[in-house]
Amino acid sequence: MDFMGTQTIDDFFSGQAAALAGGTTMHMDFVLPINGNLSAGFEAYKEKAKISCMDYGFHMAVTKWDDEVSHDMEVMVKENGINSFKFFLAYKGSFMVSDELFLEGLKKCKSLGALAMVHAENGDAIVEGQKRMIELGITGPEGHPLSRPPVLEGEATARAIRLAGFVNTPLYVVHVMSSDAMEEIAKARKSGQKVIGEVVSAGLALDDTKVWDPDFITAAKFVMSPPVRAPGHDKALQGALSTGILQLVATDHCTFNSTQKAFGIDDFRKIPNGVNGLEERMHVVWDTMVESGKISVTDFVRVTSTECAKIFNIYPKKGAILAGSDADVIILDPKASVKITAATHHSRSDTNVYDGRTGKGKILVTIAGGRIVWQNGELKVTPGTGKYIKMQPFGYAFEGIDRKDAEYLKSLGAPVKRSRALS
């Protein structure tokens, strides 16, 4: 991914190798348009994916709006197997969309049966927060979370949810990192709105303590957006996952090495945003949630696999061990310990936000497509063997949308017939 003047250090092969070693057998990569052009972005990512070594699908960003983008969204859904589009309310000047564009995108997604995804932070307020930090002389990594506090994630989440409710289309909130955002999702789901909340392993298992480390590289490796939050938010997100307020655990794996992170050594605004998680997700979730007793083994399968497959409409091909399903199976030893280190992981990054972490729940074997690809600490994969998985529109989140539309129209009681007589 090209981002903030550089490119993420992992490619399709190294990232997928890390995923397989960590017990993940399919990933959805994030396609960026080229100068706003969706078709050009799709072709570029098809080329990048030629070295893939496991099954993958795409979701796609929408960063501008015109007739061409609207047409290309149809092509992506109907011909190319993309059933979700991502909108950024942050990153002003690059990815950020206006409310007007977001509304157009929500309407188009609804008509196509595609799931609208949102990165929810208030981009305008973040620019103000960054300016405030610089004026105070705060230029180090700690300036990143200070400039984009939880209230800005909560505000954008609430706004996105309300706009999706206005259009009456399902909404998927990516990488929820704060209790502020989580509570907005809880409120919406309690009211019956179709909102899906995703948490990432970093949100469950990390807090912002390390971003204050006096060593720049140590602190900078934790810079991601929305930021890793102060202690307490992690516990709130764990609770939300255990009670169903949040539905699944993803990674938002977006890795940069220490040299790339050092681009912002004098200005936190220039630190490339992103942390690792592909190889670590299953281990971290097991240790944080199952080993602690917060969720059951069945829940672990649901939040790491089954629910995702259902949301993106590839269940039971994926997300299940059934006759006719893809033979994607992992064997996890709940009693075996695992230690995460940057020296032994499969990502190309020279840092790891979980470096030195030990816990229970070790992936012993990964079987993808009926073939053993990870066993006895050894990967058995070659570039170019991955398959592109097309995903169909109108997943289960769209069930009942038409009936709710009908109820709305029936409730209007308009237009009112009025006399046009003038005195």
Side-chain angles (χ1 to χ4, degrees):
M1 176 180 169
D2 294 304
F3 185 49
M4 296 184 72
T6 186
Q7 190 176 77
T8 49
I9 200 68
D10 279 318
D11 59 18
F12 269 80
F13 181 72
S14 67
Q16 291 185 350
L20 289 169
T24 292
T25 55
M26 176 181 168
H27 99 279
M28 290 182 65
D29 208 76
F30 169 43
V31 175
L32 280 176
I34 296 176
N35 298 321
N37 187 291
L38 274 60
S39 293
F42 180 76
E43 292 302 319
Y45 272 75
K46 276 174 62 179
E47 192 66 26
K48 293 179 182 184
K50 285 183 177 179
I51 58 171
S52 66
C53 59
M54 77 181 206
D55 290 354
Y56 64 96
F58 288 144
H59 65 108
M60 179 172 279
V62 175
T63 56
K64 73 171 189 177
W65 192 259
D66 55 27
D67 289 343
E68 183 180 28
V69 171
S70 178
H71 172 265
D72 281 354
M73 285 178 70
E74 291 190 34
V75 172
M76 293 303 141
V77 172
K78 295 176 180 178
E79 298 179 17
N80 295 328
I82 290 174
N83 67 2
S84 57
F85 295 91
K86 186 174 179 180
F87 301 87
F88 287 85
L89 304 186
Y91 299 122
K92 187 172 184 178
S94 57
F95 300 153
M96 179 177 158
V97 301
S98 64
D99 285 354
E100 180 184 13
L101 191 158
F102 187 42
L103 278 167
E104 292 294 338
L106 288 170
K107 291 190 295 181
K108 191 67 177 182
C109 282
K110 180 181 180 180
S111 71
L112 294 171
L115 188 58
M117 308 173 79
V118 66
H119 174 134
E121 290 181 287
N122 188 311
D124 289 317
I126 286 167
V127 171
E128 175 61 27
Q130 291 173 333
K131 179 182 175 183
R132 184 185 299 171
M133 293 305 112
I134 296 298
E135 288 175 349
L136 291 170
I138 300 171
T139 60
E142 68 278 7
H144 180 75
L146 290 173
S147 68
R148 48 208 310 153
V151 66
L152 301 188
E153 187 184 353
E155 184 279 330
T157 303
R159 177 160 40 103
I161 287 171
R162 283 161 176 76
L163 291 177
F166 176 65
V167 174
N168 186 29
T169 195
L171 184 70
Y172 182 116
V173 185
V174 302
H175 48 51
V176 175
M177 293 294 288
S178 68
S179 58
D180 301 52
M182 177 271 289
E183 286 166 3
E184 295 294 340
I185 292 168
K187 184 164 59 176
R189 288 178 62 83
K190 187 177 180 181
S191 74
Q193 189 173 344
K194 293 180 179 290
V195 179
I196 297 162
E198 169 202 280
V199 67
V200 294
S201 46
L204 291 174
L206 301 175
D207 59 49
D208 71 352
T209 309
K210 290 287 188 181
V211 87
W212 299 84
D213 195 287
D215 176 68
F216 173 84
I217 293 302
T218 298
K221 72 180 180 181
F222 289 89
V223 169
M224 65 174 289
S225 293
V228 178
R229 301 300 187 185
H233 288 273
D234 52 342
K235 302 299 183 188
L237 296 179
Q238 291 170 21
L241 183 66
S242 69
T243 55
I245 294 168
L246 301 175
Q247 284 71 59
L248 73 164
V249 186
T251 68
D252 201 36
H253 181 93
C254 186
T255 47
F256 301 94
N257 65 18
S258 57
T259 302
Q260 292 171 303
K261 291 281 190 177
F263 291 168
I265 195 163
D266 296 316
D267 185 345
F268 68 85
R269 296 172 297 181
K270 298 178 181 178
I271 301 172
N273 292 190
V275 302
N276 58 286
L278 274 173
E279 188 166 355
E280 299 80 13
R281 178 182 72 123
M282 300 291 270
H283 296 119
V284 167
V285 176
W286 183 277
D287 189 60
T288 303
M289 300 299 297
V290 182
E291 186 67 18
S292 67
K294 292 183 175 68
I295 64 173
S296 68
V297 175
T298 303
D299 287 335
F300 174 78
V301 175
R302 176 177 55 82
V303 302
T304 61
S305 181
T306 306
E307 189 65 19
C308 181
K310 289 181 176 179
I311 289 167
F312 292 100
N313 212 13
I314 50 175
Y315 181 88
K317 179 181 177 66
K318 302 289 185 185
I321 303 174
L322 297 168
S325 300
D326 288 355
D328 298 341
V329 182
I330 66 167
I331 299 172
L332 180 148
D333 184 345
K335 296 181 180 179
S337 295
V338 60
K339 183 175 183 179
I340 300 170
T341 70
T344 57
H345 70 198
H346 292 82
S347 168
R348 288 179 173 168
S349 177
D350 60 353
T351 67
N352 189 311
V353 291
Y354 306 101
D355 203 9
R357 180 188 176 102
T358 59
K360 292 292 181 66
K362 185 175 184 178
I363 308 298
L364 300 182
V365 180
T366 302
I367 301 169
R371 188 168 62 88
I372 294 175
V373 293
W374 170 257
Q375 187 177 28
N376 298 323
E378 180 185 354
L379 269 171
K380 303 173 183 179
V381 291
T382 55
T385 54
K387 299 196 307 291
Y388 178 64
I389 305 297
K390 287 188 174 183
M391 292 169 283
Q392 297 302 311
F394 293 103
Y396 85 83
F398 281 86
E399 293 176 6
I401 290 291
D402 55 344
R403 292 189 291 277
K404 191 172 180 181
D405 279 340
E407 286 181 14
Y408 167 72
L409 292 173
K410 188 177 179 181
S411 72
L412 292 178
V416 175
K417 293 182 180 180
R418 291 184 173 87
S419 168
R420 297 184 60 84
L422 300 174
S423 59

